[in-house]
Structure formats: structure tokens, C-alpha cells
Amino acid sequence: MFCVEAKGERMPVQRIDLPQGTLDLLILRTLALGPQHGWAVSERVQQMSSDVLQIQQGSLYPALHRLERRGWIKARWGTSENNRRAKYYELTKTGHRQLEAEKDAWEKLTAAVAQVLGTA
Amino acid sequence: MLCDLFIRIRSLFFRGAVEGELDEELRFHLEHQVEKYIRSGLTREEAVRRTRIEFGGLDQVKEHCREARGVRFVETLAQDARYGLCMLGKSPGFTAVAVLTLALGIGANAVVFSLLNGLVLRPINVPGGKDIYQIEQGKEPSQSYPNYLDIRDRNRAFDGVAAYEIERAGLDTNGTPDPIWIYETSGNYFDMLRVQPFLGRFFHLSDEHGFNSSPYLVLSYGYWQSHFQGDRGVIGRVVRLNRHVYSIAGVAPPDFRGTEIFYSPDVFAPIVDQEQIEGLNSLTDRGNNTTWLVGRLKSGVTVSQAKADLDSIAAVLIKAYPKNDEGLHFALGRPGLVGDALGGPVRAFVAALMLLAGLILLAACANLGSLFSARAADRWREVALRLALGSSRGRILRQLLTEAVLVSLGGAALGIAGSIALLRALSAWQPIPDSPINVPVSPDAMTYVFALLLALLSGLLFGLIPVRQVMRANPYQGIKQGSDALAGMRRLSVRDVLLALQIALCAVLVTSSLVAVRGMVRSLHSNFGFDPRNAMQVDTDLSMSGYSGDQLPVVQRRLLEAVSGIPGVTAAGIANRVPLNLGWTGSSVYQDSTTDYRPSNKAADAIQYSVSPGYFEAAKTALLAGRTITWDDSKDATRVGVVNREFARKVFGSEQNAIGRFFKVGGGTRVEVVGIVEDGKYKTLSEDPQPAMFLSLLQSPSKHTCLLVRSNRGPEDLGPALERTLNGLNTGLPFTISTWDRELGTALFAARAASLALGVLGGLGAMLAVTGIFGLGAYTVSKRLRELGIRIALGARRKEVLAAALGRVFRLLTFGSAAGLLLGLAATKLLSFIVYQATPYDPLVLAGVVLTMLLLGLLAACIPAQRALSADPLILLRED
């Protein structure tokens, strides 16, 4: 579970519990573009979602560690653009497969929900 | 999932490195974010602030990362345990009470479970012991030896059937015989049980060549140690058993105590030598049921198949020997407790004890549950703070449970230690002097596992009681209002229910122990049909010095005359055994007109004694009509007997016309009734009136010699005089001298043990009730101290303050006690099987229970009440 907040609305805090694994999907999708460190992942997610989704940055790391433990991503230490030591994550083979599967499932789900909402 | 395992292991064992990496990774993120904001034009301070807000609590994130890496369980456990110990250490009083309460509960259960394990669950201690069965006759354990031989040779269900009898004998290694207990066993006894000798060899079936043919003895390990100092050269040594020459063949292994749990023998001797050893041979008499049988079931044969096999043997025997075996029926029982004769009551009693011990533990858990929930309420502010700081409810619950389990483990350790000490003492205890009876119940691994499981279970049980409280918790309320958030007294809280439950359980225990104790006291003051006070008892067995046949009455008369000459002795008499001693002799009695002596024709089953002149005076058994036995009732005179009232009623229809009439005993011997004496207790205290007959010792001689001496001198004075006189006769006999009162302990043993056990459990229950009431009382008062102070300031009277402070506790006490009393009354019906005259419908018992519970309540409420009354409004109002 992680929290997103609609941008601009600070108070009262409107918290939505997104389905388990949605953050995982976003992370996997981001890493599919190439190895990244944590900060870059969070920036990229924000960028790609046109700043609509803002991940509470703290919840990103437990998700990364969880994905690593599952073997979908792997970590190695590298050097960042400004010559700092940074932990880079990249997608593994099973991670790629997982991404495809989850994307597929997500698309089916949203299509179905959209259809229901459209016809109602 | 190799990757998963690797990460877990790395996180667990290279914790430093992993933590360092986590730090570095998060720092990297934060620095980048700050830089990003500075680049967008914010001041450094503002950038840091926004970064922190966006990121969330650093420690929480780290915690979630650790959790995600999957090592949290072990780490958390260690952390919780450390924290728990710290918190428990902060309130040593609470911890001590909790640990002690649980130690009592667990200890009681460990002891009772050891009893259950030692006496009921554990099969007898031989290889493949679970296949060993006792072959009984109906509900009696004894068979005749000829029937044994038939069972041994005709059965197809057993790998072997062995016979044994328990006897006293004198073992003579250097002159004077030492009185010992022996098992006379069949030759196949050890082979059937598959026991291996510790030293030397056992005797076997092949050593038996007819009666008195097998001059070998096997020593028990204990006797070898205590009387031969573990000398290995003892094998082949020649000794005398009741004056007959035997050689020591071997020593039994240390853990082999024979096939009866309570009776461990000193020596094993061949049963075929019975005539030699006992001076008479009952092995040829099919009507003489004195032998106990154990058999090993063949593998693959079921119990019901074995029963069918035995049934077919019984059918054959009934046809062949209708006189003795009419109605013969074999049954299979568990070995070790004299078949089902003792096994039934022992098993029922131990099961009842187990139930009570379970109730004790339940009461202890209820007690601890209310303690823990009071504590959780007191720690409300701490819990609220931790929730507010981001701890999860689950984590807090786990923390509370860890504390509960820590307490329960502490309690278990203490309880087990205590129970080990108690069980060691119990195993070493010899409740009856000069007899090999003891209770071997050393704790084993089963006991420890059981106690540990119980501890964990009860820890979880009482640890879970405050759960609802925590789940309901709202941190904002908690921090704003402090501990008072929960103090709003609801109509009936969990704690109230627990206390009422606990008091009810304690009342059950107190009721049953009072019923038992009261029954004991009554039975001690009931009429035994004799008076054990101011009398001494001297036991010996004439066969130990080799006397037999016509010598017996001569020696007995010499003993009697010598003892009667001691100054101060008012009466002395000899009997083959005295009432309420271990065992008895039962005989079938027939009407004088009967000629066919088959079991169905008998007029009564009477307990048979052989007594000398002077016996009734020495025993103080009142003669109601006729005369007692005299020296003229000798071998050549008419056979005479004195009977009790029940005998007269049962055989002759009334007491009036019994004198001068005849009855017949086994084999058709006619006996004339010359006197009638009062009824008494013969086998057990709880028996119904039994017919009994006292025959002339001269006409029915016995080697068992029980000399009763009544005098007006004290036992410490008379004892040495008796010893000098008897040893001065140079009979070579060993004598056991004690007071009759002390010997009577045997008959009262079961009732005494039961009352003791129930008394201890009742005491435990009472202690738990006190701590429970005290706990809730003290807690209520401390919660409402401010309110009470205000009441006092406004002029409330002492009575009103007390009613406000403790009224609720006393209402619970009353309700719980009433419920417990009713339950207890229902439960004590069970008790009346063991404890004589244990009736709960006794005003004294009822009053006792009510009074006890009231006293316990007052005792427990004393300190909280003091505190309530001394509430000083000034100090209290200043405090908060």
C-alpha cells in the first residue's frame, strides 16, 4: 500500500489506497527504460505522469527492496552523473516477464472499468 | 527463490553492511532532492524542509525497507524481548506477582501431569511394554494357579503369560532373617517381559521341575545396593529364604521394579517354591485365587481377539471344573495398578486432579489477563505515543504478547523447578512403613514439554485479553486525555467477567477441598469396630524362622503369654491380620444345609480372620452376645467362630437365633457360632457393612502373626519393653513393632493423599482468589483515587467511600462465590468415591465455603480499602 495525493490539494489530506502492486508496476515500467537509481525513478514517474501522480518518496524504497527480494529487479552500486556512488536498479529477465504480465492485467482491468463506467 | 534466501541471509548476518548501504542510498536520494529544489530557486533551509516533508519519516522508511527485506521477524522478536524485559524490570512488583501466579499454575499442572504420566499414560517399563496386559477375573485381579497353567498352555493370543504373587518373607544372610517383600514369579516371568539381568542370570521356565525345585533368587537392584553394597561377587552366594537354602542367580536392572507400579519387591523368587517359602501350597487348589497374571499380546493380535481367545478357554474350564470355575469370566486390564481393582479409582482420581489443576491454570490466566489489561490501560499513554510515532497496531500487540510470553516462560521455569523438587520428594516418599509401596513419578521429558506448551498457551491466552483495548485505541484521544481515556467505567468490563470467573473457579476448589477434608475428619472419628488408640501392633511371620504346621500355635501362645506378663499390659491377642490393613482374606460361606459347594449356592462372602483368645479385648471389639474364642477351642474340639452382626443377619436372617447354629466354609467344614460382635470396617473406610467371621487361631492356624497389645503405658515406654521380652524368647523371629494408630495409616492412605492433594489445590485456588481480588481492588482504587478524594472532601462517610471504591469488587465476589459453590457441590459427587463420607450437603461445609470466600475477600480488599479511606483530597488535587 502506498499513498498518492492529488497535486495542489494540501489540506485536508485526501488519501487514496491504490491496489497493491500498482507502485510496483510503475517502478518496473520506469526501469524498463534502463538502469536507474531511486531518486531518478521517482523523478521519472512524476515526469511520465505529468506530475499528476506524486509518489510519497519514502514509500518508493521499501517497494524497491521488495522487488529486489522477489528477483524482479537487481541492484548494483555504480557512479552517478555527478560522480557520486549510487545504487542502481535494473530489470531482470523475470522482471521483464512480470512487467508484461502486469501491464496486460492492468489494461484489461482499466478497459473493463472504463466500459462499466461508460455504459452506466 | 534463491535470490530471496540470499537477501534474507545477507540482511540477517551482514546487518552492519546492509544498514550502511540503506543509509547511503536514502542519503543520496535526499541530497539530490535538496539540490533540485535549490536549483529551482529555494533557499537551502526551505529545500531541506520540503524534502523532508515529501519523503516522510526517515526511520519509518528504513523500518519498512527492513521489513521488505524479510528479516523483520527474528529481529523484531529480539527487539521486543529486550524491550519487554526492560518494561517488566521497570515494574518488579507486577512482574513478581505475575510470574509467581503462573509458576503456581504451571507447577500444579506439571506435578499432576507427572502423576498422570507415571501412573496412567506410561506403559510398564519393559521392552514393548504397551503389549503387556493384565489378565483379570471379572473385576478381581487374582486367578488360581491351576487356571493360570491352563491359560498359559491353551491360549493362542499371547506370546507368553506369566504369574506372580506378592508375599513377605525373611531373607537370612548371616543369622537373623531380614523381613523383605518378594514377588513369587513363574519361571517365564522375566523372559516374557523381555528384561535382561543387570548381573548374573534370571531363572527360567527350564529351571522349574515340579514344586520346590528351583532354588534360585533374583535380587532387585535397590536391595542389592542397600544390603549387598553393590558387591558383584554376590552371584552364586548361598542365602536362606524363610530358612530354606537358595542361591542368588542374578540382579535385576535398576529401572525394573516388577509389574506393579506401587509395589516394588526386594527379591524375586520362583512361584513353584511356594510351599517351601510360605509353608503351604495353594498352587494345586483351583478355588484359591491368589495369583496375578500378565501376558504379552502377540503382534498382530487385537485386544478383542485376545478376549475371544480367553472366553473360549473360560468356557472349557467352566465345563471341566464347575465347582470352582462356575461363571468364570476373564478380562484384560492395564497392568501396574493391581489390574482395574486399583487402576479404576486411581485413574479417575488422577483425571479429576488434572481437571482441577487445569482449572487452577485457567484461574491463573484469568488473573493475569486482568492484570495485563489493567497494565495495558495504565500504559495507554505510552501506546498512544507509539501509535502516533508511526508504530503499527500489530507491532504493539506483538510487543504486548511478547511480554506476556516472557512472563509465562519465567513462570514455567519457576513452576517446573518447584514441581521437580516436589516430585523427587514424592518419589522417595514411603507412605506406609515397612512396605514397599511408593509412587514413582519422576518427571520426564514429556512433563517438561507439557509444562512448556501450557506456559506458551497460557501466555498467549492472557496476553490476548488486552487486545481489544489496543485495537480500539485512538492515539489522538490517548495523548490528549492521558490514561483517563479508558477510565470511564463501563457497566461490565472484561476484567470484571474474568474476576468473577476466577472467583467461581476458586470457590469450586475451596468447596471440593473442604468436602474432602471434612470427609477425612468424619471418617477418622467414625466407628471402626475396634479402637486403635492405646494399642500396639507387633508383626511377624513365623515362616521366616521356618516354623510350620503344629508348631505355629505353640509359638504364638508363647509370644502371647510372654507379652501378657509385661506390667501395664491389660489385654493381648493374636490375629492372622488386623482389619483395615493391606489386603484381606475372603471366604465363601454356605448354609449348614448346603451340600453342593458351587459359587452360586453360597450364603455370603465373608471376610475371614483367625484370632486367638484375648483378641477382642485387645482390639476393643464389643461382644454383643455369646462368648469369645478360648484356648479350649483347639484342633480337636468343635470348630467355632465368632461372627459380626452383618454375618448373622445375612446367613441366619437375624442376630437373636444365631448363637449355637452352624454354617459351612469352603469344602464343607461345619463351624458353630459361639458369639456375635459389633460390625466394623475391614477392607476400606468407605465400605458398606460386610459380613465377617473370626475363627479360632488354634483351629485355623496361620503363620502371619499380628499381635495386638493394649496397655495403660505409653508407646515409647511399652515399645522397648515389648522388644526386650519378645527377643528374650529366642525364637529367631524378626519383629516389627509400632502403634496401631500408625499402622492404620495404610487404610487411610488413599483418603489422606486425596485430601492432601485437594487441600493443596484448594490453597492454590484461595491464593489466586486473593491476588485476583487484590489486583482488581487496588487497580480500581488507584484509578478512582481522585474521585474518592473529592467525595471525602465533600463529606462522604467511610462506608460510602468503601462502597464506592470496592462495592463492585464485592458484588463480583458474591456472584462468583455463589456460582462456584453450586458448581463445587455438583463436582464433589465424584469425590465421594474416594473420600469416605464426602458429602457436600453438610451445613459445616457450606458455611465453611462461604466463610472462606468472605475472609479471602476481606483479606484481599484490606489494603486497597485502606488506601481508599486515606485518600487525601489536598494532595490528590495538587498532583494532577
Side-chain angles (χ1 to χ4, degrees):
Chain A
M1 237 162 15
F2 68 101
C3 307
V4 293
E5 36 191 82
K7 216 174 170 166
E9 281 180 359
R10 275 272 172 254
M11 288 298 283
V13 181
Q14 178 79 46
R15 286 184 168 163
I16 310 160
D17 290 340
L18 286 195
Q20 175 93 42
T22 315
L23 179 59
D24 294 358
L25 178 60
L26 295 180
I27 291 172
L28 290 178
R29 176 71 189 86
T30 312
L31 288 179
L33 304 173
Q36 303 282 355
H37 48 69
W39 183 73
V41 172
S42 88
E43 286 293 297
R44 189 65 63 87
V45 169
Q46 226 169 311
Q47 227 175 351
M48 290 194 305
S49 70
S50 327
D51 282 358
V52 172
L53 293 176
Q54 192 180 14
I55 301 170
Q56 180 163 23
Q57 293 175 7
S59 60
L60 182 69
Y61 287 90
L64 283 170
H65 285 248
R66 190 168 54 243
L67 295 179
E68 186 189 352
R69 205 181 100 200
R70 287 198 186 142
W72 295 342
I73 61 178
K74 62 184 175 193
R76 61 178 170 79
W77 288 88
T79 321
S80 73
E81 316 83 67
N82 43 9
N83 268 336
R84 291 272 318 269
R85 207 167 97 91
K87 197 173 178 186
Y88 279 85
Y89 294 93
E90 61 182 300
L91 222 53
T92 61
K93 258 187 209 154
T94 47
H96 275 291
R97 275 203 298 275
Q98 183 66 22
L99 175 60
E100 290 310 314
E102 288 200 11
K103 228 164 78 181
D104 205 38
W106 179 259
E107 273 158 11
K108 275 183 188 148
L109 178 72
T110 46
V113 172
Q115 195 179 346
V116 170
L117 292 178
T119 55
Chain B
M1 286 281 103
L2 207 63
C3 157
D4 177 285
L5 193 67
F6 174 73
I7 286 175
R8 273 170 186 255
I9 288 175
R10 186 168 130 79
S11 315
L12 194 58
F13 293 105
F14 301 91
R15 215 175 119 195
V18 171
E19 285 287 303
E21 283 177 11
L22 184 60
D23 271 345
E24 193 176 347
E25 184 180 16
L26 297 182
R27 203 164 53 236
F28 176 85
H29 178 104
L30 293 174
E31 280 167 11
H32 262 265
Q33 190 71 8
V34 169
E35 274 166 33
K36 180 186 150 191
Y37 283 133
I38 290 176
R39 275 203 305 277
S40 70
L42 293 178
T43 64
R44 183 160 194 93
E45 271 166 22
E46 182 61 16
V48 168
R49 206 181 73 86
R50 282 189 68 173
T51 306
R52 285 213 181 130
I53 291 172
E54 280 174 7
F55 195 78
L58 187 60
D59 279 315
Q60 270 166 271
V61 170
K62 278 192 195 169
E63 190 71 5
H64 287 144
C65 287
R66 286 179 208 128
E67 210 162 322
R69 301 187 75 84
V71 283
R72 301 263 308 121
F73 183 72
V74 180
E75 265 184 38
T76 318
L77 201 67
Q79 219 174 37
D80 282 350
R82 267 199 306 278
Y83 184 72
L85 281 177
C86 178
M87 288 310 286
L88 289 173
K90 269 191 188 163
S91 38
F94 167 83
T95 310
V97 168
V99 168
L100 213 63
T101 304
L102 207 64
L104 291 177
I106 298 278
N109 275 277
V111 169
V112 175
F113 180 77
S114 284
L115 278 174
L116 185 73
N117 192 24
L119 302 184
V120 179
L121 298 182
R122 203 158 29 196
I124 80 170
N125 190 18
V126 295
K130 61 177 181 7
D131 293 331
I132 306 285
Y133 286 86
Q134 187 116 23
I135 301 173
E136 303 174 87
Q137 186 172 327
K139 287 197 162 115
E140 301 283 330
S142 315
Q143 313 272 6
S144 70
Y145 189 76
N147 277 358
Y148 156 65
L149 293 181
D150 279 315
I151 294 173
R152 185 189 71 187
D153 298 336
R154 287 168 188 265
N155 86 80
R156 286 188 298 268
F158 294 91
D159 263 342
V161 178
Y164 61 104
E165 285 182 29
I166 297 174
E167 265 300 323
R168 289 213 84 171
L171 186 72
D172 180 349
T173 48
N174 53 4
T176 45
D178 175 32
I180 58 168
W181 287 89
I182 63 172
Y183 271 25
E184 291 171 358
T185 71
S186 55
N188 61 351
Y189 183 72
F190 296 105
D191 292 331
M192 187 280 286
L193 293 173
R194 296 184 192 152
V195 185
Q196 295 303 319
F198 178 78
L199 207 64
R201 67 176 195 96
F202 290 141
F203 46 81
H204 306 282
L205 202 56
S206 54
D207 290 316
E208 290 183 353
H209 308 284
F211 296 138
N212 305 325
S213 63
S214 175
Y216 307 108
L217 295 182
V218 171
L219 303 181
S220 75
Y221 184 85
Y223 193 77
W224 178 58
Q225 286 292 334
S226 62
H227 285 73
F228 293 94
Q229 287 72 45
D231 174 15
R232 289 180 164 266
V234 80
I235 304 303
R237 173 108 60 100
V238 171
V239 294
R240 283 166 179 272
L241 187 70
N242 285 355
R243 297 283 172 199
H244 295 280
V245 173
Y246 280 82
S247 77
I248 295 174
V251 175
D255 53 358
F256 183 67
R257 302 164 34 99
T259 30
E260 291 296 323
I261 292 174
F262 289 133
Y263 304 79
S264 66
D266 298 311
V267 167
F268 299 87
I271 199 169
V272 285
D273 295 355
Q274 190 179 70
E275 184 176 7
Q276 229 174 40
I277 298 169
E278 295 186 40
L280 56 102
N281 187 352
S282 63
L283 300 184
T284 51
D285 181 359
R286 204 173 280 273
N288 193 327
N289 293 336
T290 51
T291 311
W292 296 352
L293 309 189
V294 280
R296 181 185 290 276
L297 219 55
K298 272 184 186 147
S299 67
V301 173
T302 64
V303 172
S304 55
Q305 283 168 332
K307 274 181 182 156
D309 188 26
L310 288 171
D311 283 346
S312 69
I313 296 174
V316 171
L317 292 178
I318 290 169
K319 206 171 227 174
Y321 314 100
K323 232 175 208 170
N324 296 308
D325 286 343
E326 188 190 45
L328 185 70
H329 174 71
F330 296 122
L332 286 182
R334 297 270 314 270
L337 293 170
V338 198
D340 283 334
L342 199 57
V346 164
R347 279 188 269 275
F349 180 64
V350 174
L353 272 190
M354 198 71 234
L355 193 73
L356 287 181
L359 288 183
I360 290 259
L361 189 63
L362 209 60
C365 282
N367 196 339
L368 287 171
S370 64
L371 274 179
F372 267 78
S373 86
R375 186 174 151 85
D378 282 344
R379 286 169 62 181
W380 178 233
R381 218 193 272 260
E382 174 207 329
V383 170
L385 200 62
R386 288 178 61 190
L387 278 178
L389 288 178
S391 182
S392 68
R393 272 161 221 266
R395 182 71 202 274
I396 288 177
L397 277 184
R398 199 154 49 178
Q399 169 65 39
L400 292 177
L401 272 186
T402 310
E403 269 177 46
V405 169
L406 279 177
V407 164
S408 69
L409 288 181
L414 203 64
I416 291 177
S419 65
I420 289 176
L422 197 66
L423 286 168
R424 291 246 165 92
L426 192 61
S427 293
W429 180 45
Q430 270 206 319
I432 300 163
D434 317 313
S435 90
I437 294 181
N438 76 348
V439 189
V441 282
S442 313
D444 60 4
M446 278 272 277
T447 309
Y448 302 136
V449 170
F450 175 77
L452 208 65
L453 281 180
L454 268 190
L456 284 176
L457 199 71
S458 42
L460 290 179
L461 193 66
F462 65 74
L464 279 173
I465 287 171
V467 160
R468 227 164 49 112
Q469 239 169 302
V470 175
M471 295 314 280
R472 272 204 327 258
N474 178 343
Y476 301 112
Q477 289 284 317
I479 290 176
K480 257 193 299 192
Q481 299 185 350
S483 56
D484 284 346
L486 279 187
M489 284 279 178
R490 285 179 303 123
R491 288 193 72 82
L492 196 67
S493 73
V494 183
R495 282 199 291 281
D496 294 338
V497 175
L498 286 177
L499 184 68
L501 184 74
Q502 189 192 335
I503 289 173
L505 291 178
C506 295
V508 169
L509 291 167
V510 169
T511 308
S512 42
S513 62
L514 275 182
V515 165
V517 170
R518 174 91 175 124
M520 262 309 290
V521 171
R522 274 195 187 187
S523 61
L524 285 177
H525 289 101
S526 64
N527 182 19
F528 296 154
F530 58 88
D531 182 5
R533 286 166 301 178
N534 300 320
M536 299 206 58
Q537 183 180 341
V538 181
D539 280 320
T540 189
D541 190 312
L542 298 192
S543 64
M544 289 186 195
S545 282
Y547 297 110
S548 63
D550 287 342
Q551 292 170 302
L552 297 177
V554 178
V555 177
Q556 281 164 338
R557 190 163 183 173
R558 261 179 73 203
L559 296 179
L560 211 50
E561 278 165 359
V563 166
S564 303
I566 298 174
V569 170
T570 54
I574 286 176
N576 64 334
R577 61 179 9 139
V578 289
L580 290 183
N581 208 318
L582 276 184
W584 59 86
T585 314
S587 280
S588 301
V589 173
Y590 303 91
Q591 304 281 3
D592 197 20
S593 53
T594 308
T595 48
D596 183 4
Y597 309 110
R598 58 174 66 211
S600 54
N601 285 346
K602 68 189 171 192
D605 262 322
I607 301 169
Q608 177 185 334
Y609 295 97
S610 300
V611 301
S612 75
Y615 167 80
F616 294 105
E617 292 78 2
K620 268 202 176 171
T621 302
L623 182 70
L624 304 176
R627 65 171 178 91
T628 56
I629 306 287
T630 69
W631 290 115
D632 295 328
D633 299 319
S634 61
K635 211 173 152 192
D636 310 318
T638 321
R639 305 261 299 189
V640 296
V642 172
V643 300
N644 70 351
R645 294 171 70 172
E646 180 66 19
F647 185 105
R649 266 196 298 272
K650 208 152 186 184
V651 178
F652 303 112
S654 78
E655 298 160 39
Q656 281 74 34
N657 61 3
I659 302 269
R661 293 186 52 183
F662 285 83
F663 61 90
K664 282 177 175 170
V665 289
T669 314
R670 293 181 77 213
V671 180
E672 185 191 356
V673 176
V674 292
I676 295 177
V677 292
E678 62 181 323
D679 287 338
K681 301 289 176 197
Y682 307 103
K683 298 175 179 175
T684 63
L685 281 177
S686 50
E687 74 192 15
D688 293 327
Q690 303 261 347
M693 57 181 173
F694 302 84
L695 305 180
S696 166
L697 189 62
L698 299 175
Q699 294 167 342
S700 320
S702 165
K703 67 201 177 71
H704 294 290
T705 304
C706 192
L707 179 60
L708 291 179
V709 185
R710 187 167 292 280
S711 83
N712 44 31
R713 292 166 70 179
E716 60 291 333
D717 188 20
L718 184 62
L722 273 173
E723 201 172 345
R724 264 197 314 278
T725 310
L726 290 170
N727 288 337
L729 293 174
N730 289 322
T731 50
L733 288 167
F735 295 102
T736 322
I737 303 173
S738 69
T739 64
W740 196 3
D741 253 337
R742 198 171 133 77
E743 287 291 320
L744 209 59
T746 311
L748 299 178
F749 168 63
R752 273 195 185 144
S755 305
L756 185 74
L758 288 169
V760 168
L761 288 180
L764 282 180
M767 271 166 80
L768 287 176
V770 169
T771 55
I773 296 168
F774 172 78
L776 191 66
Y779 179 71
T780 317
V781 168
S782 80
K783 286 284 101 170
R784 300 178 61 186
L785 208 51
R786 209 139 69 114
E787 176 205 332
L788 295 174
I790 293 170
R791 280 179 189 239
I792 290 175
L794 293 178
R797 273 168 298 170
R798 292 166 67 89
K799 215 175 115 187
E800 288 161 349
V801 174
L802 280 185
L806 296 171
R808 192 186 185 86
V809 173
F810 268 91
R811 273 197 299 282
L812 288 176
L813 178 67
T814 314
F815 177 71
S817 302
L821 185 61
L822 291 178
L823 271 176
L825 292 185
T828 46
K829 285 229 167 95
L830 256 175
L831 265 182
S832 51
F833 293 116
I834 299 151
V835 181
Y836 175 55
Q837 290 188 342
T839 164
Y841 305 105
D842 176 345
L844 248 156
V845 167
L846 296 180
V849 173
V850 172
L851 205 67
T852 309
M853 294 314 288
L854 200 66
L855 276 178
L856 290 177
L858 285 178
L859 186 71
C862 200
I863 294 173
Q866 280 285 315
R867 218 178 139 207
L869 287 177
S870 63
D872 185 341
L874 283 180
I875 295 178
L876 286 168
L877 292 178
R878 215 184 302 145
E879 257 178 4
D880 233 342

